[in-house]
Amino acid sequence: QFHIEAKNDTVNKWGCVPEYKLALEKALGHNALKKFDTQVNENLEQMNMYSSSLYNSFKKKIIHIKR
């Protein structure tokens, strides 16, 4: 699963859901929430750039289809 809409508090919000925290720990090991949060925040600017590009491309396709 991929979430391009991540923000600086997204990972910590996910961590409030026990099932999400457990899934992260299974995938990334001990202290997974902190590791993942660090990775997201280190790459947030680039992720936001890609998110904007994806959204704008999608919007152009939708507008084109409606015409």
Side-chain angles (χ1 to χ4, degrees):
Q1 192 172 13
F2 177 72
H3 290 274
I4 198 163
E5 76 282 0
K7 297 178 182 177
N8 64 344
D9 63 347
T10 299
V11 174
N12 287 320
K13 286 182 178 180
W14 289 344
C16 293
V17 180
E19 292 83 3
Y20 291 175
K21 186 175 181 179
L22 182 60
L24 276 173
E25 288 175 356
K26 278 186 171 183
L28 300 176
H30 177 70
N31 210 13
L33 197 62
K34 183 173 173 58
K35 291 176 192 175
F36 191 49
D37 186 49
T38 298
Q39 290 174 348
V40 167
N41 283 296
E42 286 174 354
N43 295 288
L44 197 56
E45 186 176 340
Q46 189 173 15
M47 290 170 61
N48 284 332
M49 182 184 69
Y50 291 141
S51 179
S52 293
S53 177
L54 179 66
Y55 173 73
N56 289 329
S57 295
F58 179 74
K59 189 168 66 171
K60 285 178 188 175
K61 296 264 185 210
I62 296 298
I63 291 170
H64 179 74
I65 291 171
K66 286 185 175 184
R67 289 183 182 182

